[in-house]
């Protein structure tokens, strides 16, 4: 695997931003006695957009989990962008992080690196705020994402806003009443998906039973069941902590519908 730590000027954000990328090397087998073959296979790799939580940044998955080692075993590229405290949204008072994450970043990554643009090779996952962002990516763009996973996700962000738990997201949404039944409402997006006759991404939801977001995750699990939306749900001991996320990102990678034999040549 190669680790690429990249900064570039985003047109959507109107500023410099950073992204970490774990990239499979695709190296052919080498004859170590002669070292004759140092070529690389020309393949386009499946990709996981892996999103950080609130108060974290693009470095946290690398620093606090073993995602690089896990991704190497699967032969999948992992893209870890920075999104500040944006809830992966176009902020009312701030930057257009939804436009950046959902449009500009994938286009840039596919143009700059050997990353597949096929739906069946494209996935999203994240923790906490990033779990919300991952589901939002897949639910708003089911034609582009084959699967999404949320770990300890803030999936009922609307419910939290209604209860007055605005705090960190005041600058993101402004009036909380405008979030309900909007493109930023995971429950609204899930209902719309259930009524659609189009493509439907696979969804994976996991949360620790000691996590402060546990009840919100159970609520979403039950809502998806009511709508007959396909959802893989797992729970177990754990809080809102990296030990839980490091363990369960491995479960996510095992669950993803990867077929490395079909990557583009």
């Amino acid at each position: 695997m190669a680790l690429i730590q990249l900064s570039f000027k985003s047109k959507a954000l109107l500023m410099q931003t950073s992204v970490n990328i774990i990239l499979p090397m695709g190296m052919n087998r080498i004859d170590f006695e002669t070292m004759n073959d140092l070529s690389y296979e020309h393949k386009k790799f499946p990709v996981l957009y892996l999103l950080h939580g609130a108060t974290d940044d693009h470095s946290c998955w690398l620093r606090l989990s073993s995602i690089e080692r896990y991704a190497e075993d699967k032969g999948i590229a992992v893209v870890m962008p920075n999104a500040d405290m944006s809830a992966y949204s176009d902020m009312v008072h701030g930057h257009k992080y939804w436009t950046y994450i959902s449009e500009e970043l994938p286009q840039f990554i596919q143009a700059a690196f050997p990353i597949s643009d096929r739906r069946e090779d494209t996935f999203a996952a994240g923790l906490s705020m990033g779990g919300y962002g991952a589901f939002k990516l897949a639910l708003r763009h089911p034609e582009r994402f084959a699967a999404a996973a949320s770990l300890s996700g803030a999936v009922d962000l609307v419910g939290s806003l209604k209860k007055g738990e605005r705090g960190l997201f005041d600058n993101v949404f402004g009036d909380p009443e405008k979030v309900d039944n909007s493109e930023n409402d995971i429950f609204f997006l899930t209902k719309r998906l259930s009524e659609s006759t189009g493509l439907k991404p696979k969804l994976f939801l996991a949360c620790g039973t000691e996590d402060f977001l546990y009840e919100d995750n159970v609520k979403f699990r039950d809502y998806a069941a009511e709508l007959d939306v396909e959802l893989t749900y797992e729970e177990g001991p754990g809080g809102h902590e990296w030990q839980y996320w490091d363990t369960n990102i491995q479960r996510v990678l095992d669950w993803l519908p990867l077929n490395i034999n079909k990557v583009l040549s």
Side-chain angles (χ1 to χ4, degrees):
M1 301 293 284
L3 172 60
I4 301 164
Q5 297 174 302
L6 176 69
S7 295
F8 72 102
K9 187 169 185 178
S10 162
K11 293 181 180 179
L13 300 177
L14 300 176
M15 67 176 186
Q16 293 286 333
T17 189
S18 297
V19 57
N20 286 330
I21 303 159
I22 300 170
L23 191 67
M25 295 294 287
M27 182 178 278
N28 292 326
R29 184 177 63 84
I30 298 174
D31 182 339
F32 285 99
E33 290 186 2
T34 63
M35 294 297 287
N36 285 333
D37 188 358
L38 288 175
S39 62
Y40 291 82
E41 299 176 18
H42 296 289
K43 292 183 177 180
K44 292 190 176 181
F45 296 98
V47 60
L48 174 66
Y49 289 88
L50 187 57
L51 310 183
H52 67 76
T55 74
D56 285 346
D57 65 12
H58 62 291
S59 72
C60 287
W61 273 108
L62 280 173
R63 292 190 292 112
L64 300 172
S65 81
S66 295
I67 184 61
E68 184 173 5
R69 179 160 52 87
Y70 306 147
E72 181 175 15
D73 291 341
K74 297 295 184 181
I76 187 173
V78 182
V79 177
M80 295 161 283
N82 184 54
D84 293 326
M85 296 294 299
S86 68
Y88 299 93
S89 305
D90 285 348
M91 303 171 69
V92 172
H93 303 293
H95 300 287
K96 294 184 177 181
Y97 276 103
W98 172 253
T99 301
Y100 166 65
I101 296 291
S102 67
E103 300 295 339
E104 183 181 12
L105 180 63
Q107 292 173 18
F108 173 78
I109 292 295
Q110 290 162 13
F113 301 102
I115 299 297
S116 174
D117 61 358
R118 301 191 307 175
R119 176 183 185 269
E120 57 263 42
D121 296 328
T122 306
F123 316 105
L127 66 88
S128 195
M129 181 184 80
Y132 164 83
F135 269 15
K136 187 159 69 169
L137 278 172
L139 293 171
R140 287 179 65 168
H141 288 294
E143 78 286 356
R144 286 166 40 194
F145 289 87
S150 169
L151 303 179
S152 310
V155 289
D156 189 22
L157 192 57
V158 170
S160 297
L161 292 172
K162 285 182 176 179
K163 288 185 285 188
E165 300 172 4
R166 298 174 63 181
L168 298 175
F169 300 116
D170 282 348
N171 289 328
V172 177
F173 301 114
D175 183 355
E177 296 299 324
K178 294 182 179 180
V179 183
D180 195 9
N181 292 315
S182 76
E183 295 286 317
N184 290 313
D185 181 350
I186 297 299
F187 283 75
F188 167 78
L189 295 174
T190 303
K191 186 174 189 300
R192 187 172 69 184
L193 179 75
S194 73
E195 297 169 347
S196 170
T197 59
L199 294 167
K200 292 180 170 62
K202 296 177 61 177
L203 300 176
F204 180 100
L205 185 71
C207 191
T209 51
E210 288 73 50
D211 196 301
F212 72 93
L213 291 174
Y214 173 70
E215 295 299 331
D216 289 353
N217 280 258
V218 170
K219 178 181 176 182
F220 182 83
R221 176 201 66 188
D222 295 344
Y223 187 71
E226 290 175 12
L227 297 176
D228 199 27
V229 170
E230 180 183 357
L231 174 71
T232 298
Y233 175 78
E234 296 186 2
E235 65 175 55
H240 211 72
E241 59 195 9
W242 277 100
Q243 182 176 351
Y244 182 84
W245 301 323
D246 181 64
T247 297
N248 282 275
I249 194 62
Q250 298 172 71
R251 297 282 302 120
V252 170
L253 291 171
D254 288 340
W255 167 82
L256 288 177
L258 290 169
N259 192 336
I260 303 302
N261 293 328
K262 291 186 177 181
V263 292
L264 295 178
S265 298

